[in-house]
Amino acid sequence: MRSILILVFFTLISCQYAMMDEDDDFSDIYPTPDYLRVISIGKHALKLEWSPMYGKYADSFFQIERSDGDTAFVVLDERVTHNYFFDYSVDPAKQYTYRLKAYNSWGESNYYYVRVKYDLFHQLKTTIDFPTTQKLKMAGSGKMFAASSENLLMVWDSQTLQPVREFSENSAYIGDFEFSALGQSMIYTSDSIVKGVHLPVGETLFTFATQNKVAALASSSDLSRIMIATSVDTGKSFSFDLIMYQADGRLLWQKSNTGIVYDVLFTHDDKEVIAMHYGKIRIFSARDGSLIMESGSAGDFYHSPALNYDGSALLFLRGNINGKYLNVLDLQSKHIEEYYLRESHHNSIVSFVQMGNTDTLIYGDGNYIRFITMGAERAFYSLPPR
């Protein structure tokens, strides 16, 4: 059975999925309860709330189960008729996983999971406060993640959730950054300067300058090759170039006047690079820059690319005047599936990392960073079979 798992880390804010309206055609799919959030109402009590069901599912019952990690799921209530539940038997020293499903005479939904844990002050948290989040990425090892704003780059330990390193560039603009495969090093840009640093001690590994301001950056897993998109203001518009460098600053190849570039990304095997443009997506050979694939539509903008945990699929956002859409591109067949994101707060899908057989999704939402952990199949799309 498919299921959804929400990993709750930080401040008390709900992690949400796009919700279906009364007029939606559910066909044979029983909708999973969504907009689930957990509220602390005391040291030993929690309140779970979720969105109501609509249409022919409006008379649904809800079944709530709980596990503390050492025991199997235990049914707390199997016939809840409203969209909330109080748990008055919480041990603040334990981490709990709740699961929720809806059912009626039409059938039953998939389970929706939420994992909750108290910190030292018994406060539940699901977000990190970070001003004007622009880009977020997670190291391939899953041990660290980072976020940038205008002139600040912060790195956190994903286990302790404590800051590891901070890079402040005063008035310079941090355009983009990338981790090495093991997460011990990272590369970032400061206006037209590209810097490589060793994270444990903050030591600078290399520095080189480009001719123009860097708008986007990606690196191979060992940081030996660096793909950048530079921009220059011509007075009437911006001109963008795609350039592949070595870590010593030697130019390997260049594509000039490519049109607006939002993001770039290496595939897991470092053989291809992906560029997200205004109006198109392009995939190039990392070796010589030859074009492998081009797709897109004029008037759309493509951004926030992320590879799934085994590198077989590319996830990215497509936006236009009608809304925002999640796209899934099978990198082998080059087939694209698309799903509408009704909620505008899904504004930056930024990183996937393997955690067993699950993906961890981090996305920016205004002045917050949110975390969601899910299986390979989820409510709004399914990855290609492994």
Side-chain angles (χ1 to χ4, degrees):
M1 179 179 289
R2 294 179 301 169
S3 60
I4 308 169
L5 173 64
I6 302 294
L7 181 58
V8 177
F9 286 118
F10 305 78
T11 310
L12 192 60
I13 299 267
S14 62
C15 293
Q16 302 172 341
Y17 288 96
M19 189 174 75
M20 300 178 181
D21 290 334
E22 294 184 49
D23 297 330
D24 284 343
D25 179 16
F26 299 115
S27 61
D28 294 326
I29 301 175
Y30 201 111
T32 302
D34 57 8
Y35 287 84
L36 181 64
R37 65 173 182 163
V38 183
I39 302 171
S40 174
I41 58 173
K43 187 175 180 180
H44 299 283
L46 300 174
K47 180 182 180 182
L48 284 76
E49 292 184 337
W50 56 91
S51 60
M53 308 296 276
Y54 294 100
K56 66 182 182 181
Y57 307 106
D59 62 346
S60 293
F61 294 103
F62 299 96
Q63 179 169 308
I64 307 288
E65 303 174 29
R66 189 186 75 182
S67 169
D68 63 8
D70 297 324
T71 60
F73 279 96
V74 176
V75 176
L76 300 180
D77 197 325
E78 62 182 358
R79 208 169 173 81
V80 178
T81 57
H82 33 255
N83 61 319
Y84 58 88
F85 177 80
F86 292 93
D87 185 357
Y88 294 105
S89 58
V90 173
D91 182 345
K94 292 184 176 181
Q95 176 173 285
Y96 294 99
T97 301
Y98 293 88
R99 67 181 187 183
L100 167 71
K101 73 174 181 179
Y103 68 93
N104 66 9
S105 59
W106 291 95
E108 65 179 33
S109 72
N110 298 316
Y111 278 105
Y112 191 114
Y113 290 75
V114 59
R115 186 177 299 162
V116 299
K117 183 179 181 181
Y118 279 95
D119 65 11
L120 295 177
F121 300 98
H122 310 300
Q123 296 295 314
L124 291 172
K125 297 184 176 182
T126 55
T127 64
I128 288 177
D129 295 322
F130 188 74
T132 321
T133 303
Q134 294 190 342
K135 293 194 176 182
L136 300 117
K137 294 182 182 180
M138 181 174 276
S141 63
K143 295 180 179 180
M144 287 183 288
F145 62 93
S148 66
S149 58
E150 287 284 341
N151 54 11
L152 178 65
L153 174 62
M154 290 284 294
V155 183
W156 289 270
D157 184 299
S158 59
Q159 299 298 316
T160 65
L161 310 175
Q162 296 299 311
V164 173
R165 191 68 60 188
E166 175 180 328
F167 302 97
S168 179
E169 292 297 322
N170 297 319
S171 59
Y173 173 71
I174 296 178
D176 207 349
F177 59 91
E178 185 68 270
F179 286 98
S180 64
L182 298 178
Q184 290 295 302
S185 303
M186 74 182 307
I187 185 171
Y188 72 96
T189 66
S190 174
D191 285 339
S192 61
I193 304 297
V194 179
K195 299 181 179 181
V197 293
H198 184 57
L199 287 173
V201 296
E203 175 189 3
T204 299
L205 300 175
F206 59 82
T207 301
F208 65 87
T210 64
Q211 289 186 340
N212 299 304
K213 188 175 182 179
V214 179
L217 170 146
S219 72
S220 58
S221 55
D222 60 358
L223 300 188
S224 64
R225 287 174 296 167
I226 301 162
M227 178 76 171
I228 67 170
T230 62
S231 64
V232 57
D233 188 352
T234 64
K236 296 182 179 179
S237 63
F238 282 90
S239 174
F240 285 77
D241 295 338
L242 287 171
I243 310 172
M244 182 71 76
Y245 285 99
Q246 286 189 163
D248 60 5
R250 185 166 71 90
L251 189 148
L252 298 177
W253 54 265
Q254 179 171 345
K255 301 287 183 181
S256 300
N257 301 316
T258 61
I260 296 175
V261 180
Y262 294 111
D263 290 290
V264 289
L265 181 72
F266 272 82
T267 55
H268 278 189
D269 59 10
D270 291 337
K271 293 181 179 180
E272 299 174 354
V273 288
I274 303 161
M276 315 299 288
H277 297 263
Y278 177 75
K280 58 192 171 185
I281 303 168
R282 286 173 162 178
I283 300 179
F284 299 95
S285 165
R287 181 178 60 85
D288 59 12
S290 56
L291 183 63
I292 297 173
M293 171 190 165
E294 182 173 320
S295 179
S297 301
D300 291 345
F301 57 95
Y302 301 87
H303 66 101
S304 300
L307 294 168
N308 73 317
Y309 61 86
D310 63 2
S312 64
L314 172 72
L315 293 91
F316 59 92
L317 293 184
R318 179 179 74 88
N320 55 34
I321 60 173
N322 297 316
K324 200 165 288 187
Y325 305 82
L326 172 66
N327 283 244
V328 183
L329 168 64
D330 185 312
L331 290 173
Q332 183 173 359
S333 68
K334 301 300 189 283
H335 173 70
I336 295 178
E337 296 181 12
E338 184 169 85
Y339 305 87
Y340 178 54
L341 295 179
R342 196 180 303 267
E343 297 302 315
S344 61
H345 68 249
H346 292 272
N347 63 351
S348 182
I349 292 182
V350 293
S351 185
F352 281 76
V353 64
Q354 185 173 357
M355 294 182 65
N357 63 348
T358 65
D359 290 331
T360 293
L361 166 63
I362 301 179
Y363 65 93
D365 177 8
N367 291 329
Y368 298 102
I369 300 169
R370 301 191 187 280
F371 304 76
I372 300 178
T373 301
M374 320 174 195
E377 293 185 292
R378 55 208 77 175
F380 50 85
Y381 80 92
S382 297
L383 293 178
R386 297 170 59 187

